[in-house]
Amino acid sequence: MREIALVYLDRSGGLQKFVHDCKKYHDSKQSYAVYRFIISINPSDIAELDATLGNYILHKPVQAAQIFQSVCFIAIKTLSLIEQLQTEAQVSILLKPTHLPPFPGYTLSLSAFPFNYTSQRFYMSEGIVIAMGTVTKYTQGARFLCTEDTCPLSQGRFRYIRVHLPGATESATVRSDFVCTLCSSPLQEDMKFRVLGDKQIVEMTDAKALNALKGYANDQSHFRIQTFTVFLR
Ligand SMILES: [Zn+2]
């Protein structure tokens, strides 16, 4: 599937954008815990190229991102795109579908029951924003080092990397109770490598909530508008 991912990137212009993004990192001469790349994916185009990979992107996006991570890492190393980058774990890929298939299975509506949104995949959701928080920072990636001076993992390596995954809370990404697998000493974050991103929390309510306001204005019955929280990252 890696080969197909590469073919897709090449054909869709994604590879060109990726090389351009790499150049920005390379030219900055700065070293980061993780290097983040956003890759636009057209699900129909990729399904036409290879149905298995298309299906993977739609239904197992986290694993699909790993395929692209591997492809991008190989590209960075073979073409020496980012001198500072050391390990594959430092490559963070965010797949962004341009659209989703127009089927009910890809629509998330909280007014529909029962809920069956157990799989971690892409959904479309339409609603009304009723409140917005301010933009805050979250950790996209961090590097940890062993606190034991004599341990080889106490210095400049990128062995212990924490990368934010979709749905993860801040405390899941960075914690203070990690231990070194080599010597069991506690790990400490190397703060200068931390990569921060923007996050905004939005309160939304389903578009169908408007119907309730329309139809029952004179009705004595009470209704409550249930909102759901959306994290924009
Ligand atoms: Zn250690």
Side-chain angles (χ1 to χ4, degrees), residues 5-233:
L6 184 61
V7 170
Y8 177 75
L9 282 176
D10 190 27
R11 286 192 194 170
S12 65
L15 195 63
Q16 213 179 348
K17 181 185 173 285
F18 171 73
V19 171
H20 180 77
D21 290 346
C22 284
K23 199 177 168 341
K24 272 195 279 175
Y25 278 126
H26 181 84
D27 292 348
S28 80
K29 301 271 178 244
Q30 227 187 321
S31 202
Y32 300 94
V34 297
Y35 298 80
R36 196 169 191 252
F37 300 96
I38 295 170
I39 295 177
S40 261
I41 297 271
N42 181 324
S44 358
D45 284 356
I46 211 155
E48 220 165 275
L49 201 61
D50 184 84
T52 316
L53 184 61
N55 194 44
Y56 221 55
I57 287 166
L58 288 175
H59 301 110
K60 289 189 169 53
V62 176
Q63 286 91 328
Q66 283 165 4
I67 296 172
F68 282 87
Q69 178 186 10
S70 177
V71 169
C72 291
F73 176 67
I74 295 167
I76 290 169
K77 282 291 144 193
T78 11
L79 305 171
S80 305
L81 295 174
I82 304 173
E83 217 70 61
Q84 311 94 299
L85 188 136
Q86 292 182 18
T87 66
E88 187 173 320
Q90 287 177 273
V91 180
S92 165
I93 301 288
L94 199 74
L95 298 180
K96 285 209 170 166
T98 50
H99 63 278
L100 290 177
F103 304 122
Y106 295 97
T107 307
L108 183 149
S109 169
L110 292 182
S111 69
F113 196 82
F115 306 135
N116 186 23
Y117 305 121
T118 44
S119 63
Q120 271 201 356
R121 63 173 176 89
F122 295 116
Y123 292 99
M124 269 178 299
S125 185
E126 221 177 26
I128 304 148
V129 174
I130 58 165
M132 274 171 112
T134 53
V135 176
T136 53
K137 295 284 176 198
Y138 76 100
T139 306
Q140 282 177 350
R143 173 172 98 157
F144 288 76
L145 291 173
C146 181
T147 47
E148 172 56 51
D149 288 347
T150 56
C151 178
L153 300 177
S154 67
Q155 291 158 38
R157 298 194 191 193
F158 288 88
R159 171 72 184 269
Y160 299 118
I161 303 277
R162 299 289 298 177
V163 181
H164 178 266
L165 284 179
T169 56
E170 186 70 9
S171 56
T173 313
V174 278
R175 294 202 312 260
S176 53
D177 60 344
F178 299 124
V179 290
C180 179
T181 49
L182 210 61
C183 69
S184 305
S185 302
L187 298 183
Q188 197 176 34
E189 191 191 339
D190 191 356
M191 289 300 281
K192 59 182 184 294
F193 288 91
R194 191 186 266 216
V195 180
L196 296 173
D198 287 339
K199 167 185 90 179
Q200 190 169 23
I201 295 173
V202 171
E203 285 285 314
M204 276 177 71
T205 184
D206 200 278
K208 289 210 173 81
L210 278 183
N211 292 342
L213 293 169
K214 246 189 271 168
Y216 301 100
N218 301 319
D219 199 316
Q220 290 301 308
S221 69
H222 296 281
F223 62 85
R224 188 166 69 106
I225 294 175
Q226 179 81 50
T227 64
F228 56 98
T229 309
V230 178
F231 289 78
L232 305 175
R233 295 188 198 264

